[in-house]
Amino acid sequence: MSVEKLINDALRPRCTSLRGQTALITGASSGIGLALAARLAQEGCHLHLIARRQDRLSQLSIELKNLFPELNIRTFPLDVTREETADVLESAGAFEADILINNAGLAKGLAKIIESDASDWSEMLSTNVNAAFTISARAARAMSARKSGDIVVLSSVAAHHSYENGAVYCASKHAVRAFHEALRLETLESGIRVIMISPGMVETEFSLVRFSGDNQRANAVYQGVESLDAGDVAESILFALRQPRHINLDDIIIKPRQQGNPWRVFRNS
């Protein structure tokens, strides 16, 4: 092959357009879910938005419709942990979306195993594991029938490195990683891409939820660090989605430059 041919091949555009596709986003009312809703709308995607907080969801829908009136934006004020939610979404045709952003998840508490609250365990496992598995499975079933689709799951560096005082959260994210690695293998012949993103420190409402609304503790997590924000993670996901169909970014690990792993962080004095 000539050098000219090699150069031309290297320089040809690679990214594809998402315009006209439909994205289903869980946990869409804040943080990474909200940022993805905005960026996907900017890319020309129609949206199915799911979140528990109806007021925030309605406000998001209004703002996006004002900015992108040509798009079809549907809202579903639902709790993904409730058994009937997947059936409601299926009946509404939401799983016919081209893209699933399986984003809903949370951490509760930061205590040693022997001191932690079982109710926190239950909430994390219900949201991060049971609900995430159910939503991905339903979407995969619909996408398999169509022989096309993208499943993006929000994981965490905690899926790769366990840390003290976060045992159940880490366990839930390890489970998410294992489940979606298996789903990726099971759908090789189905035209589906399964993409996982594992962020480190992202300054959203994550720590505020973890510490039950304690602003002081939540703010201390990010003190002295130029953390990621929701838009940074959204942009990385957009990069993965816009790759040609023969490319699958299995797992994107994204951290602030100042973070080495969940427990090793350099903080500016």
Side-chain angles (χ1 to χ4, degrees), residues 10 14 32 38 55 68 70 74 76 81 123 153 155 158 183 191 204 206 222 240 249 252:
R14 301 279 174 169
I32 296 168
D55 55 338
F68 308 103
E70 74 280 8
R74 302 171 68 192
F76 298 88
T81 66
E123 189 170 359
V153 60
S155 186
L183 181 62
T204 61
F206 178 87
Y222 311 105
L249 297 183
I252 304 169

Side-chain angles (χ1 to χ4, degrees), residues 134-192:
T134 299
I135 295 295
S136 283
R138 291 291 187 99
R141 185 184 303 163
M143 290 176 182
S144 293
R146 301 194 309 271
K147 299 294 183 183
S148 181
D150 290 329
I151 294 173
V152 178
V153 60
L154 267 293
S155 186
S156 168
V157 292
H160 300 267
H161 303 283
S162 297
Y163 55 86
E164 293 174 285
N165 302 339
V168 176
Y169 176 71
C170 293
S172 74
K173 291 303 182 178
H174 274 70
V176 164
R177 181 183 175 194
F179 181 91
H180 288 88
E181 284 179 348
L183 181 62
R184 166 103 163 85
L185 295 172
E186 291 177 6
T187 54
L188 288 175
E189 299 177 1
S190 302
I192 298 172

Side-chain angles (χ1 to χ4, degrees), residues 86-236:
D87 291 333
V88 171
L89 292 172
E90 189 161 12
S91 296
F95 289 122
E96 297 305 312
D98 305 285
I99 301 166
L100 167 66
I101 307 291
N102 205 342
N103 167 71
L106 78 166
K108 291 290 288 185
L110 194 64
K112 293 181 178 179
I113 294 169
I114 61 174
E115 298 168 354
S116 55
D117 190 327
S119 66
D120 289 343
W121 294 16
S122 179
E123 189 170 359
M124 285 185 280
L125 294 173
S126 294
T127 307
N128 300 354
V129 178
N130 296 345
F133 289 7
T134 299
I135 295 295
S136 283
R138 291 291 187 99
R141 185 184 303 163
M143 290 176 182
S144 293
R146 301 194 309 271
K147 299 294 183 183
S148 181
D150 290 329
I151 294 173
V152 178
V153 60
L154 267 293
S155 186
S156 168
V157 292
H160 300 267
H161 303 283
S162 297
Y163 55 86
E164 293 174 285
N165 302 339
V168 176
Y169 176 71
C170 293
S172 74
K173 291 303 182 178
H174 274 70
V176 164
R177 181 183 175 194
F179 181 91
H180 288 88
E181 284 179 348
L183 181 62
R184 166 103 163 85
L185 295 172
E186 291 177 6
T187 54
L188 288 175
E189 299 177 1
S190 302
I192 298 172
R193 296 190 299 188
V194 180
I195 299 163
M196 189 166 69
I197 186 159
S198 299
M201 295 173 66
V202 187
E203 192 165 0
T204 61
E205 295 179 6
F206 178 87
S207 291
L208 194 64
V209 172
R210 165 168 261 173
F211 298 125
S212 301
D214 187 331
N215 276 289
Q216 187 173 357
R217 289 188 73 188
N219 291 336
V221 171
Y222 311 105
Q223 189 171 356
V225 180
E226 187 177 357
S227 301
L228 304 175
D229 63 25
D232 295 327
V233 181
E235 202 62 36
S236 297

